């Protein structure tokens, strides 16, 4: 019972901090790094704390047969579906094989195999206005 209440208080405090920092007067006084940290990192911590709060509330009740009226699960188990999926997706994105690639994409990395279009210099435009583009791989595209 104590852990359920303490997780709820921590989640409420973290969500209150998120709410205060999203006010325009406070958000304008923060630089981008501080605002990004509060909204992304503390937002995820608030999600985890809220999910743990709900899990500890309903852990014993989730397995009672009397809670499953009309063969439907209780509402607190249904409300855990989306947060648990988000937490699992975040855990997958933190794996080294995915996080390195995401970090490279955030820094502006692009694949080497991009298609580059060049205008031909020896083709004259037809009277219908077709523009011939030659792709670097040798494929001619009409537009």
């Amino acid at each position: 019972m104590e852990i359920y209440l303490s997780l709820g208080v921590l989640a409420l405090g973290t969500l209150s901090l998120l709410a205060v920092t999203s006010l325009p007067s406070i958000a304008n006084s923060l630089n981008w790094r501080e605002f990004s940290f509060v909204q992304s990192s503390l937002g995820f911590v608030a999600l985890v704390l809220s999910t743990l709060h709900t899990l500890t509330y309903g852990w014993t009740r989730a397995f009672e047969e009397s809670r499953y009226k009309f063969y439907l699960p209780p509402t607190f188990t249904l409300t855990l579906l989306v947060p648990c999926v988000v937490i699992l997706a975040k855990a997958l994105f933190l794996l080294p094989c995915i996080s390195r690639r995401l970090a490279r994409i955030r820094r502006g990395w692009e694949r080497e195999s991009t298609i580059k279009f060049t205008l031909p210099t020896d083709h004259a435009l037809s009277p219908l206005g077709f523009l011939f583009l030659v792709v670097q791989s040798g494929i001619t595209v009409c537009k």
Side-chain angles (χ1 to χ4, degrees):
M1 180 75 170
E2 292 84 19
I3 194 162
Y4 158 69
L5 291 174
S6 62
L7 284 172
V9 168
L10 287 173
L12 182 65
T14 311
L15 288 170
S16 300
L17 182 64
L18 283 171
V20 167
T21 56
S22 66
L23 292 172
S25 59
I26 305 292
N28 290 337
S29 66
L30 299 174
N31 63 21
W32 177 247
R33 179 173 282 190
E34 294 166 345
F35 183 77
S36 175
F37 171 75
V38 168
Q39 293 296 319
S40 64
S41 301
L42 286 182
F44 184 71
V45 168
L47 177 71
V48 169
L49 286 173
S50 301
T51 306
L52 288 175
H53 167 72
T54 309
L55 277 172
T56 55
Y57 167 74
W59 187 256
T60 57
R61 295 170 184 90
F63 303 112
E64 292 176 4
E65 199 172 314
S66 64
R67 297 284 179 170
Y68 290 84
K69 295 179 180 163
F70 303 112
Y71 300 104
L72 293 174
T75 55
F76 58 84
T77 58
L78 292 176
T79 58
L80 287 173
L81 188 66
V82 174
C84 287
V85 168
V86 170
I87 292 169
L88 287 175
K90 178 82 171 182
L92 285 175
F93 287 146
L94 290 176
L95 290 175
C97 58
I98 298 174
S99 67
R100 284 189 203 124
R101 185 166 226 172
L102 285 176
R104 287 172 57 190
I105 290 171
R106 287 183 189 127
R107 282 186 249 125
W109 172 79
E110 292 183 13
R111 283 188 176 161
E112 301 287 331
S113 63
T114 57
I115 298 175
K116 297 178 182 175
F117 293 98
T118 58
L119 290 173
T121 56
D122 56 346
H123 288 50
L125 293 177
S126 67
L128 297 176
F130 288 107
L131 179 62
F132 293 95
L133 297 173
V134 178
V135 180
Q136 198 171 20
S137 63
I139 301 171
T140 304
V141 180
C142 290
K143 183 177 179 184

